[in-house]
């Protein structure tokens, strides 16, 4: 497999191709989900799936405080009793869904939000007990949870460990105080170091830290200082997300003033030096926003050609079905995608009336399956063997993808992609533009040209 530890930065190429594009946590993307998709379609997909491994995603929508940059599906409240009501409905959904997966083993679980640690220690224990009573969990697996370091007692880590979690993801975003104040996310830097230190002492096998670049008052110089501190923190994995300023879509972002944002040139420079510093310190650039230490499972699987991708991003789990629980969560089961009701009231009403919260989804046709395989291969491993696709799907790649290869030619001309002996390989600069390269194989994007619905790739 090609090494993705080093990245070659080509300013001209990055500026040329820095336009909007999907993140490809699925193909087709969520834009193709529709409300004609029914519970029967989901049941058919479960019956037709040949997987017996399950990944569970559980969404907790609540947050104690509003972060101005946030575009997530969340409810900001100080009322803890709202979580009790939510858990009651979550319990109904779990009890309804679990029998459909009685032959499955749960090898991965992730709690996201919102803020999963909005839940009290008793509530966390209650939900994990409920899950383990209804699903069969593997003794060894990847069980992770997102943590907001501003609103958590150190004792929560003991509760999480006892509940079976072995990985944590901590939202840091930026250590700079001016940036924190401008985004309404002030936090104690030392507490974050103590938190991750205790997690390691307790035996959590992996820590992930999230950062965001492009926030108000960030400069290449200030963000470089945050990266210096991150290297001292030494997380196993690191996500460095691009802030997409879309105040028309996300009301909270209207509190961020345009004039305080870094310029497009500054954002590119922040990203360039961040990649250079992290890879120089030994982190492997997994793709898009993600970095991992070379001995982390994510990095090892990428080098072995066995990395996967789903709605949780890059994942170590081999082909397994993904069940989404809770408001707005998305499932990927067999040859379908299914999403729960996006807002709390319809989620509750749907469970009251139907026992489940299915809102919309889509079933994949044969073309979708072929293109999903191609896009996932490129986005996880930056290379593709046409002969493997031929064999897998009984086609001739050059004939089936004739139009796609014409679109890809501009990337070949710019030496971002090479095509030799029927093998595509993405250059080191091309790794940063992988979303754009994948667009060439996205028939929905091509037909509808909905660029404005996606964030810029960088």
């Amino acid at each position: 497999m090609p090494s993705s530890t080093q990245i070659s930065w080509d300013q001209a190429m990055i500026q040329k191709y820095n336009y909007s594009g999907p993140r490809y946590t699925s193909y087709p993307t969520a834009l193709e989900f529709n409300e004609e998709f029914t519970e029967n379609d989901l049941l058919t997909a479960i019956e037709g799936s040949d997987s017996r491994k399950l990944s569970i995603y559980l969404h907790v929508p609540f947050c104690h405080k509003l972060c101005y940059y946030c575009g997530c599906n969340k409810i900001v409240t100080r009322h803890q009793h709202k979580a009790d009501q939510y858990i009651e409905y979550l319990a109904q959904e779990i009890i309804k869904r679990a029998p459909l997966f009685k032959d499955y083993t749960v090898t991965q679980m992730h709690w996201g939000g919102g803020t999963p640690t909005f839940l009290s220690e008793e509530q966390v224990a209650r939900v994990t007990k409920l899950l383990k009573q209804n699903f069969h969990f593997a003794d060894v697996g990847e069980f992770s949870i997102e943590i907001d370091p501003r609103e958590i007692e150190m004792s929560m880590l003991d509760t999480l460990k006892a509940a079976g979690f072995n990985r944590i993801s901590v939202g840091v975003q930026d250590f700079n105080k001016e940036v924190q104040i401008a985004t309404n996310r002030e936090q104690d830097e030392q507490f974050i170091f103590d938190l991750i230190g205790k997690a390691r002492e307790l035996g959590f096998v992996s820590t992930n830290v999230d950062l965001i670049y492009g926030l108000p008052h960030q400069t290449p110089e200030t963000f470089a200082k945050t990266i210096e501190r991150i290297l001292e923190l030494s997380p196993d994995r690191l996500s460095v997300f691009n802030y997409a300023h879309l105040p028309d879509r996300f009301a909270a972002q209207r509190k961020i003033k345009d004039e305080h944002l870094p310029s497009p040139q500054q954002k590119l420079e922040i990203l360039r030096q961040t990649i250079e510093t992290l890879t120089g310190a030994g982190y492997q650039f997994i793709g898009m926003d993600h970095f991992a230490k070379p001995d982390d499972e994510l990095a090892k699987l990428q080098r072995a050609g066995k990395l996967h991708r789903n709605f949780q991003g890059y994942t170590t789990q081999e082909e397994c079905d993904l069940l989404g629980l809770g408001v707005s969560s998305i499932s990927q089961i067999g040859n379908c995608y299914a999403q729960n009701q996006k807002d709390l009231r319809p989620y509750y009403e749907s469970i009251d009336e139907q026992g489940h919260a299915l809102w919309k989804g889509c079933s994949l046709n044969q073309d979708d399956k072929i293109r999903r395989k191609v896009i996932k291969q490129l986005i996880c491993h930056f290379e593709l063997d046409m002969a493997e696709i031929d064999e897998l799907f009984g086609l001739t790649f050059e004939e089936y993808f004739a139009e796609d290869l014409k679109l890809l030619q501009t990337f070949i001309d710019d030496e971002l992609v090479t095509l030799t002996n029927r093998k595509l390989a993405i250059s080191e600069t091309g790794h940063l533009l992988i979303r754009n390269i994948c667009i060439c194989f996205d028939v929905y994007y091509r037909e509808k040209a909905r660029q404005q619905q996606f964030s810029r790739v960088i």
Side-chain angles (χ1 to χ4, degrees), residues 143-178:
F143 308 120
S144 62
I145 186 169
E146 295 171 14
I147 285 176
D148 181 347
R150 298 170 302 168
E151 298 278 346
I152 184 174
E153 296 295 330
M154 204 66 84
S155 58
M156 175 63 89
L157 287 176
D158 297 284
T159 297
L160 295 176
K161 192 72 173 63
F165 289 99
N166 54 20
R167 295 171 182 267
I168 59 169
S169 181
V170 182
V172 172
Q173 321 317 351
D174 196 318
F175 279 132
N176 183 277
K177 284 297 174 191
E178 188 179 14

Side-chain angles (χ1 to χ4, degrees), residues 286-457:
I286 302 298
M288 294 198 294
D289 331 286
H290 289 71
F291 301 80
K293 287 182 176 178
D295 59 351
D296 185 271
E297 201 65 19
L298 213 58
K300 289 194 286 188
L301 285 173
Q302 185 178 55
R303 293 196 301 273
K306 296 179 180 178
L307 189 63
H308 293 275
R309 188 163 173 79
N310 60 21
F311 288 103
Q312 296 165 35
Y314 291 104
T315 173
T316 60
Q317 296 299 297
E318 57 187 88
E319 296 295 346
C320 69
D321 286 336
L322 167 65
L323 173 64
L325 297 167
V327 65
S328 81
S329 63
I330 298 176
S331 301
Q332 178 180 330
I333 295 165
N335 291 313
C336 88
Y337 301 118
Q339 184 171 16
N340 277 353
Q341 289 287 348
K342 193 176 180 182
D343 298 313
L344 209 53
R345 187 182 294 274
Y347 172 76
Y348 289 162
E349 289 172 352
S350 184
I351 289 176
D352 281 335
E353 292 166 13
Q354 302 170 92
H356 62 78
L358 179 64
W359 173 34
K360 60 181 182 178
C362 74
S363 298
L364 277 64
N365 59 37
Q366 185 65 5
D367 182 65
D368 293 333
K369 296 173 200 173
I370 295 167
R371 293 176 183 278
R372 175 170 69 174
K373 179 67 176 178
V374 167
I375 287 171
K376 193 175 86 166
Q377 177 64 26
L378 288 171
I379 214 160
C380 287
H381 299 293
F382 306 107
E383 66 176 21
L384 182 137
D385 186 339
M386 294 180 181
E388 288 183 4
I389 302 299
D390 290 357
E391 187 177 350
L392 202 56
F393 295 103
L395 52 80
T396 302
F397 194 97
E398 291 87 346
E399 292 176 7
Y400 193 92
F401 290 105
E403 189 176 348
D404 311 80
L405 291 171
K406 287 177 188 173
L407 294 171
L408 193 67
Q409 190 60 46
T410 179
F411 294 95
I412 294 172
D413 293 342
D414 284 331
E415 299 180 351
L416 297 168
V417 178
T418 58
L419 173 53
T420 51
N421 299 322
R422 305 193 71 224
K423 292 181 180 179
L424 292 173
I426 314 300
S427 74
E428 290 178 346
T429 299
H431 289 189
L432 292 168
L433 300 165
I434 190 62
R435 288 162 69 181
N436 310 73
I437 292 165
C438 288
I439 284 170
C440 297
F441 296 93
D442 184 341
V443 70
Y444 296 100
Y445 190 99
R446 187 153 70 237
E447 287 173 356
K448 297 178 181 175
R450 297 195 285 201
Q451 291 189 19
Q452 75 281 2
Q453 297 202 29
F454 300 108
S455 63
R456 281 181 175 270
V457 299

Side-chain angles (χ1 to χ4, degrees), residues 13-29:
M13 285 297 106
I14 287 165
Q15 288 181 324
K16 176 178 178 178
Y17 290 105
N18 189 18
Y19 48 79
S20 306
R23 298 183 58 78
Y24 292 116
T25 50
S26 73
Y27 181 86
T29 69

Side-chain angles (χ1 to χ4, degrees), residues 58 87 91 94-95 109 111 121-137 159 162-165:
L58 188 139
I87 291 168
I94 289 167
I95 291 164
M109 180 171 69
W111 289 18
E121 293 182 40
E122 183 275 328
Q123 288 169 332
V124 167
R126 183 178 160 201
V127 174
T128 50
K129 182 180 178 183
L130 186 67
L131 287 164
K132 289 180 178 180
Q133 284 174 338
N134 286 277
F135 293 93
H136 176 245
F137 277 72
T159 297
F165 289 99

